Amino acid sequence: MEMAVGLRANTVAILRELAAVAELKPGRLLVIGASTSEVAGRRIGTSGALEVAEQLLAGVREVQQEYGFDAVFQCCEHLNRALVLERAVMERLGLKEVGAVPVPKAGGSMAAAAFRSMKEPCLAETIEAHAGLDIGETLIGMHLRRVAVPFRPSLRHIGKARVNAAFTRPPLIGGERAVYRLEL
């Protein structure tokens, strides 16, 4: 149980940092990719654990309640990295739905736990999130908006998994005379 408390606490700490810098708020999207195998110190895709996923998910939900953003969860490559999300979010964004139910061996333990925790879960093919948290190097970049800014949280591991994060910004357009902030 001690490891479980640490997993949740580390997830909360990292996500609070990311939520603050990414200005996550209601209507904003956070994509999460997680290898529970990597968290447990094993090679990705070899030792998924729903118990680990539930602790990570508890940390995500805690910060989500504080900030109000929508969290989506990336499946593994066996489901083509589809995303688990609430149907209301999918419909609000006009996303393309795909059909499957993630399970630990096809979708991953994190996606499976997230799916089972939602009121009306579904899978979307792609998304353009405002920020992302990658636990265990699962490669979430394909689901971020076009200009991603790497973010290095003060904690760099959850369990044994390396953590990377990013937030996005609009593309800066113009040339040498372009201004990007209004001076008051």
Side-chain angles (χ1 to χ4, degrees), residues 121-148:
C122 62
L123 295 183
E125 186 173 34
T126 63
I127 205 159
E128 291 184 4
H130 299 91
L133 178 64
D134 190 331
I135 304 166
E137 301 177 322
T138 63
L139 301 176
I140 59 167
M142 68 184 74
H143 296 304
L144 292 173
R145 289 175 170 219
R146 194 167 77 80
V147 183

Side-chain angles (χ1 to χ4, degrees), residues 2-107:
E2 184 178 323
M3 182 180 166
V5 172
L7 297 179
R8 179 180 177 154
N10 286 357
T11 302
V12 167
I14 290 167
L15 266 182
R16 280 186 179 141
E17 282 184 43
L18 179 59
V21 75
E23 299 178 4
L24 292 177
K25 58 188 175 189
R28 294 283 177 113
L29 298 171
L30 171 73
V31 62
I32 298 164
S35 167
T36 60
S37 298
E38 292 277 335
V39 171
R42 302 220 164 66
R43 190 172 55 84
I44 192 168
T46 62
S47 304
L50 285 171
E51 302 80 24
V52 170
E54 288 166 0
Q55 292 304 311
L56 301 175
L57 186 59
V60 171
R61 295 295 187 221
E62 184 176 329
V63 179
Q64 187 180 16
Q65 286 180 342
E66 291 174 28
Y67 285 84
F69 57 83
D70 293 308
V72 300
F73 299 85
Q74 178 180 271
C75 294
C76 74
E77 74 277 7
H78 295 100
L79 293 184
N80 297 325
R81 301 204 190 285
L83 300 138
V84 176
L85 69 164
E86 289 284 359
R87 181 166 300 283
V89 175
M90 185 193 67
E91 290 174 355
R92 182 183 87 221
L93 298 173
L95 301 174
K96 180 179 177 183
E97 184 176 5
V98 293
V101 173
V103 295
K105 295 289 183 191

